Amino acid sequence: MKKILITALTVALLVACASLHASGQVALPLYADDTRPVEERVEDALARLTLEEKIALLHGQATFSSAGVPRLGIPELWMSDGPHGVRAEVAWSSFAEAHWTNDSCTAFPALTALAATFNPDMAYLYGKAIGEEARYRKKDVLLGPGVNIYRTPLNGRNFEYMGEDPYLASVMVVPYVRGVQENGVAACVKHFALNNQEEARTSVDVRVNERALREIYLPAFHAAVTGGNAWAIMGAYNRHAGEYCCHNERLLQQILKQEWGFTGVVISDWGGTHDTHEAALKGLDIEMGTRKPFTAYYLADSLLAAVRRGEIDEKVIDEKARRVLRLITRTVMNTRRPWGSFATSEHAETGRRVAEEGIVLLKNDGALLPIDPSRIKTIAVIGENATRRLTIGGGSSELKVKREISPLEGLRERLGGRVKIVHAAGYASGPPAYGRVLPAPGNADALREEAVKVAANAELVLFFGGLNKNYRQDSEEGDRLDYNLPFGQDRLIEELLAVNKNVVVVLLSGNAVAMPWIRRVPAIVQAWYGGSEAGNAIARVLDGTVNPSGKLPFTFPVRLEDNAAHAFGTTAYPGENGVESYLEDILVGYRWHDTRRVPPLFAFGHGLSYTTFEYGKPSTDKKTYARDEVIRVRFALRNNGKMAGSEVAQLYVSAPGALVPRPAKELKAFTKVALQTGETREVILEIPASRLAYWDETTSGWKIEPGKYTLQTGSSSRDIKHRVTVTIL
Ligand code: BGC
């Protein structure tokens, strides 16, 4: 009611101003005049505000809204989760669902799936579509995307992030942010920074050296800010170097605002603010979600009192208010922004395309995939994830969707007319419950036995398992407790194999899992969480309508201990006595596996196709480059198989003669190339020499070491095809 009233008053005031303006009686106030530059409008607005009005801009007035200035017709801001779709409306001052009937959205694939496309064009389409949905729903700030680096497979929120490689995440985040913001909706890139686990997320103090911070954990945020011009950043819950990230002098003031020149707004994570003076002086601009009445927020009445007592300079308030007014001007006071659209068939198609391009064919020995319906009478579809609604659960990214096609529905739609499809759940997990594990139904043996019977009577078994969005699977506030598949799936897979060797395992998850049965299963597919169109995308890949082209955005280790974060005991994960030290340093993900020679189960960048590609020998335009030059690597890529398909050609760099420790190899360029059967194309990858720099802790800056660099082209971080060496002067 309050919201409707404020909105109505705001609109009335703006309409009145505009009509008076049109009739020539009153000049539109400068701050409301869309023809004037943003900075002029912001300064004009700021000069008109009282201290109380400025402070009202700096904290929540509702669960997902912060105030505007009703007296001047400056609208409030409306925010919404999250990275995969626009969340359902909630109550004014709680997270209780509001039960609106017009907020069922398109669920886009989880960000791991987007990252697995290795295709920035897909990231742009995704950002544009989700931005349109946010705009239609009158949201000014979309709380996403998330770009925290995948450090351990146990992190409950990896599915909301873009994998383990800082370069990949940087390339993918920029077009997402641009696509969203073209709608006049701010992207709020989260969670800045070092929020790499859910365990103890609101308290853990992450210690990481400056080099790893700069080379691994910050680049995607830096790209979002400098390349994507992100208008908002969300502070993380955890601490870094003793200070909460939502009021962290080093991260927010020095790095983000001063060094990177961020002109946007730092928004706290919900409940991530802990102190008035700290928050005011160490970089936070808008406080959200504190579990107190809105006036008792740290940046509300107590901030006003601190300014009045002279403890905090009003200039500090001006600086924050200026940023918030800039955000309002860029978004809700931009009269030229488009209107948006919601739950359209175009958005469903975008979601489906991303899901299809992100699906990774991990293994395909034998001829099970693509499915040939002419040779099959019965397919056994086994597993709870064949029918479970996976847009539900997981925490703040949970969605209320207009529709969600399950894998079983997708398969029935595509193959049902030609093949008999029989489903058995095989296992069951509990219903979704935020922050709690509810017991699974007690009929595990009966479910397994039924599934084995169904599998024995089919020519092909498609097993749909993995994780789900339950607490301690892929979900907020808690990490996974172990690396194995849950709910007895390993045993079920073994029993299915005992009656039918033609088993395809399709994993729906945002995380790597152990695969003790790997040698006996001929085909394995990683299908992530595909959103509204998940089932259609999966069916189209399995039946060969779409040739898979996704690549893993993170390493699957054989055992949990093989992952770098788990190689140093509890000090490095999940932390001891509230402190966690990232002892693996810069050797995160494949950097660890390759440098320490720890074989992965599946390597970063791995992903098969139904066709095959041949990599020609690469050449560079020169042998020697200055530090400000761009290295151009050319090679021929040929589809020498029997089906059209796309390949992600990857380029990794090693610095064999480096004086400082460097990872064995690092991704520095990639491109996705579509090729018809028999077609050859020349691939040109460009690497500015500056991309080869490392962070030099002695000078606190990037340094390009002169010397030899080996450029390696390949189909994954482990499947290197050719090498060429250049010298940087
Ligand atoms: C999450 C954020 C989310 C916010 C609002 C927090 O618990 O960490 O990612 O945007 O809630 O729902």
PDB file of all heavy atoms in Angstrom, residues 55-67 79 92 268 270 286-290 292-297 299-300:
ATOM      1  N   ILE A  55      20.530  10.956   4.125  1.00  0.00           N
ATOM      2  CA  ILE A  55      20.720   9.710   4.884  1.00  0.00           C
ATOM      3  C   ILE A  55      19.628   8.692   4.542  1.00  0.00           C
ATOM      4  O   ILE A  55      19.883   7.483   4.516  1.00  0.00           O
ATOM      5  CB  ILE A  55      20.840  10.023   6.393  1.00  0.00           C
ATOM      6  CG1 ILE A  55      22.233  10.645   6.610  1.00  0.00           C
ATOM      7  CG2 ILE A  55      20.636   8.771   7.250  1.00  0.00           C
ATOM      8  CD1 ILE A  55      22.590  11.028   7.992  1.00  0.00           C
ATOM      9  N   ALA A  56      18.449   9.188   4.220  1.00  0.00           N
ATOM     10  CA  ALA A  56      17.374   8.256   3.838  1.00  0.00           C
ATOM     11  C   ALA A  56      17.730   7.462   2.581  1.00  0.00           C
ATOM     12  O   ALA A  56      17.216   6.366   2.354  1.00  0.00           O
ATOM     13  CB  ALA A  56      16.075   9.022   3.617  1.00  0.00           C
ATOM     14  N   LEU A  57      18.629   8.019   1.762  1.00  0.00           N
ATOM     15  CA  LEU A  57      19.034   7.307   0.536  1.00  0.00           C
ATOM     16  C   LEU A  57      19.947   6.118   0.828  1.00  0.00           C
ATOM     17  O   LEU A  57      20.181   5.288  -0.034  1.00  0.00           O
ATOM     18  CB  LEU A  57      19.803   8.255  -0.405  1.00  0.00           C
ATOM     19  CG  LEU A  57      19.079   9.473  -0.968  1.00  0.00           C
ATOM     20  CD1 LEU A  57      20.065  10.347  -1.740  1.00  0.00           C
ATOM     21  CD2 LEU A  57      17.938   9.041  -1.881  1.00  0.00           C
ATOM     22  N   LEU A  58      20.511   6.093   2.048  1.00  0.00           N
ATOM     23  CA  LEU A  58      21.641   5.198   2.303  1.00  0.00           C
ATOM     24  C   LEU A  58      21.280   3.882   2.987  1.00  0.00           C
ATOM     25  O   LEU A  58      22.163   3.148   3.410  1.00  0.00           O
ATOM     26  CB  LEU A  58      22.696   5.927   3.144  1.00  0.00           C
ATOM     27  CG  LEU A  58      23.134   7.308   2.625  1.00  0.00           C
ATOM     28  CD1 LEU A  58      24.268   7.862   3.483  1.00  0.00           C
ATOM     29  CD2 LEU A  58      23.560   7.247   1.162  1.00  0.00           C
ATOM     30  N   HIS A  59      19.997   3.612   3.112  1.00  0.00           N
ATOM     31  CA  HIS A  59      19.627   2.343   3.756  1.00  0.00           C
ATOM     32  C   HIS A  59      18.274   1.870   3.262  1.00  0.00           C
ATOM     33  O   HIS A  59      17.500   2.635   2.703  1.00  0.00           O
ATOM     34  CB  HIS A  59      19.606   2.503   5.280  1.00  0.00           C
ATOM     35  CG  HIS A  59      18.682   3.575   5.751  1.00  0.00           C
ATOM     36  ND1 HIS A  59      17.357   3.344   6.033  1.00  0.00           N
ATOM     37  CD2 HIS A  59      18.873   4.888   5.958  1.00  0.00           C
ATOM     38  CE1 HIS A  59      16.792   4.473   6.403  1.00  0.00           C
ATOM     39  NE2 HIS A  59      17.685   5.430   6.363  1.00  0.00           N
ATOM     40  N   GLY A  60      18.002   0.603   3.513  1.00  0.00           N
ATOM     41  CA  GLY A  60      16.754   0.001   3.047  1.00  0.00           C
ATOM     42  C   GLY A  60      15.544   0.657   3.687  1.00  0.00           C
ATOM     43  O   GLY A  60      15.585   1.106   4.834  1.00  0.00           O
ATOM     44  N   GLN A  61      14.452   0.697   2.899  1.00  0.00           N
ATOM     45  CA  GLN A  61      13.157   1.092   3.458  1.00  0.00           C
ATOM     46  C   GLN A  61      12.182  -0.087   3.366  1.00  0.00           C
ATOM     47  O   GLN A  61      11.067  -0.031   3.845  1.00  0.00           O
ATOM     48  CB  GLN A  61      12.579   2.276   2.690  1.00  0.00           C
ATOM     49  CG  GLN A  61      12.346   1.967   1.210  1.00  0.00           C
ATOM     50  CD  GLN A  61      11.495   2.983   0.489  1.00  0.00           C
ATOM     51  OE1 GLN A  61      10.987   3.916   1.091  1.00  0.00           O
ATOM     52  NE2 GLN A  61      11.315   2.789  -0.807  1.00  0.00           N
ATOM     53  N   ALA A  62      12.627  -1.122   2.675  1.00  0.00           N
ATOM     54  CA  ALA A  62      11.859  -2.359   2.538  1.00  0.00           C
ATOM     55  C   ALA A  62      12.882  -3.450   2.274  1.00  0.00           C
ATOM     56  O   ALA A  62      14.073  -3.157   2.098  1.00  0.00           O
ATOM     57  CB  ALA A  62      10.882  -2.257   1.369  1.00  0.00           C
ATOM     58  N   THR A  63      12.442  -4.699   2.249  1.00  0.00           N
ATOM     59  CA  THR A  63      13.391  -5.799   2.053  1.00  0.00           C
ATOM     60  C   THR A  63      14.243  -5.568   0.810  1.00  0.00           C
ATOM     61  O   THR A  63      15.447  -5.804   0.812  1.00  0.00           O
ATOM     62  CB  THR A  63      12.631  -7.140   1.906  1.00  0.00           C
ATOM     63  OG1 THR A  63      11.712  -7.239   2.983  1.00  0.00           O
ATOM     64  CG2 THR A  63      13.572  -8.324   1.904  1.00  0.00           C
ATOM     65  N   PHE A  64      13.608  -5.094  -0.260  1.00  0.00           N
ATOM     66  CA  PHE A  64      14.340  -4.913  -1.511  1.00  0.00           C
ATOM     67  C   PHE A  64      14.219  -3.500  -2.078  1.00  0.00           C
ATOM     68  O   PHE A  64      14.274  -3.319  -3.289  1.00  0.00           O
ATOM     69  CB  PHE A  64      13.868  -5.942  -2.550  1.00  0.00           C
ATOM     70  CG  PHE A  64      14.419  -7.323  -2.306  1.00  0.00           C
ATOM     71  CD1 PHE A  64      13.592  -8.355  -1.880  1.00  0.00           C
ATOM     72  CD2 PHE A  64      15.772  -7.592  -2.485  1.00  0.00           C
ATOM     73  CE1 PHE A  64      14.107  -9.629  -1.648  1.00  0.00           C
ATOM     74  CE2 PHE A  64      16.293  -8.862  -2.252  1.00  0.00           C
ATOM     75  CZ  PHE A  64      15.461  -9.880  -1.830  1.00  0.00           C
ATOM     76  N   SER A  65      14.055  -2.504  -1.210  1.00  0.00           N
ATOM     77  CA  SER A  65      13.967  -1.131  -1.722  1.00  0.00           C
ATOM     78  C   SER A  65      14.682  -0.161  -0.800  1.00  0.00           C
ATOM     79  O   SER A  65      14.696  -0.336   0.420  1.00  0.00           O
ATOM     80  CB  SER A  65      12.489  -0.728  -1.846  1.00  0.00           C
ATOM     81  OG  SER A  65      12.397   0.640  -2.181  1.00  0.00           O
ATOM     82  N   SER A  66      15.275   0.862  -1.419  1.00  0.00           N
ATOM     83  CA  SER A  66      15.814   1.979  -0.642  1.00  0.00           C
ATOM     84  C   SER A  66      15.092   3.238  -1.111  1.00  0.00           C
ATOM     85  O   SER A  66      14.594   3.301  -2.231  1.00  0.00           O
ATOM     86  CB  SER A  66      17.331   2.093  -0.849  1.00  0.00           C
ATOM     87  OG  SER A  66      17.613   2.286  -2.219  1.00  0.00           O
ATOM     88  N   ALA A  67      15.055   4.230  -0.228  1.00  0.00           N
ATOM     89  CA  ALA A  67      14.190   5.389  -0.467  1.00  0.00           C
ATOM     90  C   ALA A  67      14.739   6.326  -1.537  1.00  0.00           C
ATOM     91  O   ALA A  67      15.940   6.373  -1.797  1.00  0.00           O
ATOM     92  CB  ALA A  67      14.020   6.170   0.836  1.00  0.00           C
ATOM     93  N   MET A  79      15.085  -3.277  -5.977  1.00  0.00           N
ATOM     94  CA  MET A  79      16.123  -4.261  -6.288  1.00  0.00           C
ATOM     95  C   MET A  79      15.501  -5.653  -6.301  1.00  0.00           C
ATOM     96  O   MET A  79      14.461  -5.867  -5.688  1.00  0.00           O
ATOM     97  CB  MET A  79      17.205  -4.224  -5.200  1.00  0.00           C
ATOM     98  CG  MET A  79      17.616  -2.806  -4.835  1.00  0.00           C
ATOM     99  SD  MET A  79      18.869  -2.798  -3.551  1.00  0.00           S
ATOM    100  CE  MET A  79      19.020  -1.026  -3.270  1.00  0.00           C
ATOM    101  N   TRP A  92       6.861  -6.527   2.319  1.00  0.00           N
ATOM    102  CA  TRP A  92       7.577  -5.258   2.473  1.00  0.00           C
ATOM    103  C   TRP A  92       8.792  -5.385   3.387  1.00  0.00           C
ATOM    104  O   TRP A  92       9.874  -4.905   3.054  1.00  0.00           O
ATOM    105  CB  TRP A  92       6.611  -4.186   3.013  1.00  0.00           C
ATOM    106  CG  TRP A  92       7.251  -2.827   3.049  1.00  0.00           C
ATOM    107  CD1 TRP A  92       7.963  -2.284   4.071  1.00  0.00           C
ATOM    108  CD2 TRP A  92       7.263  -1.865   1.991  1.00  0.00           C
ATOM    109  NE1 TRP A  92       8.426  -1.043   3.727  1.00  0.00           N
ATOM    110  CE2 TRP A  92       8.002  -0.759   2.454  1.00  0.00           C
ATOM    111  CE3 TRP A  92       6.716  -1.826   0.705  1.00  0.00           C
ATOM    112  CZ2 TRP A  92       8.214   0.382   1.671  1.00  0.00           C
ATOM    113  CZ3 TRP A  92       6.931  -0.680  -0.055  1.00  0.00           C
ATOM    114  CH2 TRP A  92       7.672   0.392   0.426  1.00  0.00           C
ATOM    115  N   SER A 268      25.324  -3.306   0.513  1.00  0.00           N
ATOM    116  CA  SER A 268      25.738  -4.396   1.404  1.00  0.00           C
ATOM    117  C   SER A 268      25.025  -5.674   1.004  1.00  0.00           C
ATOM    118  O   SER A 268      23.937  -5.621   0.425  1.00  0.00           O
ATOM    119  CB  SER A 268      25.373  -4.076   2.853  1.00  0.00           C
ATOM    120  OG  SER A 268      23.981  -4.243   3.048  1.00  0.00           O
ATOM    121  N   TRP A 270      22.700  -8.657   2.244  1.00  0.00           N
ATOM    122  CA  TRP A 270      21.566  -8.488   3.170  1.00  0.00           C
ATOM    123  C   TRP A 270      21.965  -8.927   4.587  1.00  0.00           C
ATOM    124  O   TRP A 270      22.150 -10.117   4.849  1.00  0.00           O
ATOM    125  CB  TRP A 270      20.369  -9.262   2.630  1.00  0.00           C
ATOM    126  CG  TRP A 270      19.494  -8.437   1.719  1.00  0.00           C
ATOM    127  CD1 TRP A 270      18.150  -8.238   1.855  1.00  0.00           C
ATOM    128  CD2 TRP A 270      19.882  -7.671   0.557  1.00  0.00           C
ATOM    129  NE1 TRP A 270      17.680  -7.400   0.858  1.00  0.00           N
ATOM    130  CE2 TRP A 270      18.711  -7.044   0.054  1.00  0.00           C
ATOM    131  CE3 TRP A 270      21.095  -7.433  -0.094  1.00  0.00           C
ATOM    132  CZ2 TRP A 270      18.738  -6.210  -1.070  1.00  0.00           C
ATOM    133  CZ3 TRP A 270      21.116  -6.607  -1.209  1.00  0.00           C
ATOM    134  CH2 TRP A 270      19.951  -6.013  -1.678  1.00  0.00           C
ATOM    135  N   ILE A 286      24.934   1.822   0.405  1.00  0.00           N
ATOM    136  CA  ILE A 286      23.550   1.500   0.792  1.00  0.00           C
ATOM    137  C   ILE A 286      23.563   0.241   1.658  1.00  0.00           C
ATOM    138  O   ILE A 286      24.097  -0.798   1.259  1.00  0.00           O
ATOM    139  CB  ILE A 286      22.632   1.246  -0.428  1.00  0.00           C
ATOM    140  CG1 ILE A 286      22.541   2.489  -1.320  1.00  0.00           C
ATOM    141  CG2 ILE A 286      21.232   0.862   0.045  1.00  0.00           C
ATOM    142  CD1 ILE A 286      21.592   2.330  -2.518  1.00  0.00           C
ATOM    143  N   GLU A 287      22.954   0.348   2.822  1.00  0.00           N
ATOM    144  CA  GLU A 287      22.853  -0.793   3.735  1.00  0.00           C
ATOM    145  C   GLU A 287      21.511  -1.487   3.527  1.00  0.00           C
ATOM    146  O   GLU A 287      20.467  -0.856   3.610  1.00  0.00           O
ATOM    147  CB  GLU A 287      22.948  -0.289   5.179  1.00  0.00           C
ATOM    148  CG  GLU A 287      22.703  -1.373   6.212  1.00  0.00           C
ATOM    149  CD  GLU A 287      22.553  -0.811   7.633  1.00  0.00           C
ATOM    150  OE1 GLU A 287      22.538   0.433   7.799  1.00  0.00           O
ATOM    151  OE2 GLU A 287      22.416  -1.613   8.562  1.00  0.00           O
ATOM    152  N   MET A 288      21.567  -2.789   3.278  1.00  0.00           N
ATOM    153  CA  MET A 288      20.329  -3.543   3.054  1.00  0.00           C
ATOM    154  C   MET A 288      20.266  -4.750   3.986  1.00  0.00           C
ATOM    155  O   MET A 288      21.291  -5.311   4.379  1.00  0.00           O
ATOM    156  CB  MET A 288      20.261  -4.038   1.602  1.00  0.00           C
ATOM    157  CG  MET A 288      20.149  -2.970   0.536  1.00  0.00           C
ATOM    158  SD  MET A 288      18.683  -1.914   0.641  1.00  0.00           S
ATOM    159  CE  MET A 288      17.369  -3.074   0.245  1.00  0.00           C
ATOM    160  N   GLY A 289      19.031  -5.107   4.314  1.00  0.00           N
ATOM    161  CA  GLY A 289      18.765  -6.403   4.929  1.00  0.00           C
ATOM    162  C   GLY A 289      19.198  -6.592   6.373  1.00  0.00           C
ATOM    163  O   GLY A 289      19.223  -7.722   6.854  1.00  0.00           O
ATOM    164  N   THR A 290      19.537  -5.509   7.068  1.00  0.00           N
ATOM    165  CA  THR A 290      19.929  -5.659   8.470  1.00  0.00           C
ATOM    166  C   THR A 290      18.698  -6.088   9.270  1.00  0.00           C
ATOM    167  O   THR A 290      17.597  -5.610   9.023  1.00  0.00           O
ATOM    168  CB  THR A 290      20.479  -4.325   9.004  1.00  0.00           C
ATOM    169  OG1 THR A 290      21.537  -3.921   8.119  1.00  0.00           O
ATOM    170  CG2 THR A 290      21.042  -4.452  10.406  1.00  0.00           C
ATOM    171  N   LYS A 292      16.878  -5.416  11.692  1.00  0.00           N
ATOM    172  CA  LYS A 292      16.449  -4.405  12.662  1.00  0.00           C
ATOM    173  C   LYS A 292      15.357  -3.609  11.984  1.00  0.00           C
ATOM    174  O   LYS A 292      15.241  -3.648  10.754  1.00  0.00           O
ATOM    175  CB  LYS A 292      17.592  -3.429  12.966  1.00  0.00           C
ATOM    176  CG  LYS A 292      18.757  -3.981  13.759  1.00  0.00           C
ATOM    177  CD  LYS A 292      19.879  -2.933  13.746  1.00  0.00           C
ATOM    178  CE  LYS A 292      21.106  -3.415  14.478  1.00  0.00           C
ATOM    179  NZ  LYS A 292      21.257  -2.941  15.821  1.00  0.00           N
ATOM    180  N   PRO A 293      14.583  -2.816  12.761  1.00  0.00           N
ATOM    181  CA  PRO A 293      13.657  -1.887  12.097  1.00  0.00           C
ATOM    182  C   PRO A 293      14.470  -0.952  11.194  1.00  0.00           C
ATOM    183  O   PRO A 293      15.626  -0.641  11.495  1.00  0.00           O
ATOM    184  CB  PRO A 293      13.043  -1.108  13.261  1.00  0.00           C
ATOM    185  CG  PRO A 293      13.297  -1.944  14.472  1.00  0.00           C
ATOM    186  CD  PRO A 293      14.535  -2.736  14.220  1.00  0.00           C
ATOM    187  N   PHE A 294      13.892  -0.505  10.095  1.00  0.00           N
ATOM    188  CA  PHE A 294      14.674   0.252   9.097  1.00  0.00           C
ATOM    189  C   PHE A 294      15.350   1.486   9.699  1.00  0.00           C
ATOM    190  O   PHE A 294      16.472   1.818   9.339  1.00  0.00           O
ATOM    191  CB  PHE A 294      13.785   0.638   7.914  1.00  0.00           C
ATOM    192  CG  PHE A 294      13.265  -0.572   7.179  1.00  0.00           C
ATOM    193  CD1 PHE A 294      11.916  -0.900   7.208  1.00  0.00           C
ATOM    194  CD2 PHE A 294      14.138  -1.408   6.492  1.00  0.00           C
ATOM    195  CE1 PHE A 294      11.448  -2.037   6.554  1.00  0.00           C
ATOM    196  CE2 PHE A 294      13.682  -2.549   5.840  1.00  0.00           C
ATOM    197  CZ  PHE A 294      12.330  -2.866   5.872  1.00  0.00           C
ATOM    198  N   THR A 295      14.679   2.148  10.634  1.00  0.00           N
ATOM    199  CA  THR A 295      15.292   3.349  11.217  1.00  0.00           C
ATOM    200  C   THR A 295      16.468   3.011  12.127  1.00  0.00           C
ATOM    201  O   THR A 295      17.277   3.871  12.459  1.00  0.00           O
ATOM    202  CB  THR A 295      14.255   4.145  12.038  1.00  0.00           C
ATOM    203  OG1 THR A 295      13.637   3.228  12.947  1.00  0.00           O
ATOM    204  CG2 THR A 295      13.213   4.794  11.142  1.00  0.00           C
ATOM    205  N   ALA A 296      16.529   1.742  12.536  1.00  0.00           N
ATOM    206  CA  ALA A 296      17.632   1.335  13.420  1.00  0.00           C
ATOM    207  C   ALA A 296      18.810   0.757  12.631  1.00  0.00           C
ATOM    208  O   ALA A 296      19.769   0.260  13.212  1.00  0.00           O
ATOM    209  CB  ALA A 296      17.119   0.315  14.438  1.00  0.00           C
ATOM    210  N   TYR A 297      18.749   0.820  11.305  1.00  0.00           N
ATOM    211  CA  TYR A 297      19.888   0.373  10.496  1.00  0.00           C
ATOM    212  C   TYR A 297      21.113   1.217  10.866  1.00  0.00           C
ATOM    213  O   TYR A 297      20.995   2.357  11.315  1.00  0.00           O
ATOM    214  CB  TYR A 297      19.576   0.552   8.998  1.00  0.00           C
ATOM    215  CG  TYR A 297      18.836  -0.598   8.337  1.00  0.00           C
ATOM    216  CD1 TYR A 297      17.931  -1.379   9.043  1.00  0.00           C
ATOM    217  CD2 TYR A 297      19.047  -0.884   6.993  1.00  0.00           C
ATOM    218  CE1 TYR A 297      17.263  -2.422   8.420  1.00  0.00           C
ATOM    219  CE2 TYR A 297      18.377  -1.931   6.355  1.00  0.00           C
ATOM    220  CZ  TYR A 297      17.491  -2.696   7.080  1.00  0.00           C
ATOM    221  OH  TYR A 297      16.826  -3.728   6.463  1.00  0.00           O
ATOM    222  N   LEU A 299      23.181   2.651   8.940  1.00  0.00           N
ATOM    223  CA  LEU A 299      23.290   3.888   8.148  1.00  0.00           C
ATOM    224  C   LEU A 299      21.973   4.662   8.151  1.00  0.00           C
ATOM    225  O   LEU A 299      21.631   5.326   7.178  1.00  0.00           O
ATOM    226  CB  LEU A 299      23.729   3.569   6.707  1.00  0.00           C
ATOM    227  CG  LEU A 299      25.127   2.999   6.530  1.00  0.00           C
ATOM    228  CD1 LEU A 299      25.526   2.930   5.049  1.00  0.00           C
ATOM    229  CD2 LEU A 299      26.181   3.808   7.298  1.00  0.00           C
ATOM    230  N   ALA A 300      21.235   4.590   9.269  1.00  0.00           N
ATOM    231  CA  ALA A 300      19.989   5.360   9.389  1.00  0.00           C
ATOM    232  C   ALA A 300      20.134   6.343  10.554  1.00  0.00           C
ATOM    233  O   ALA A 300      21.054   7.165  10.550  1.00  0.00           O
ATOM    234  CB  ALA A 300      18.810   4.405   9.559  1.00  0.00           C
TER     235      ALA A 300
END
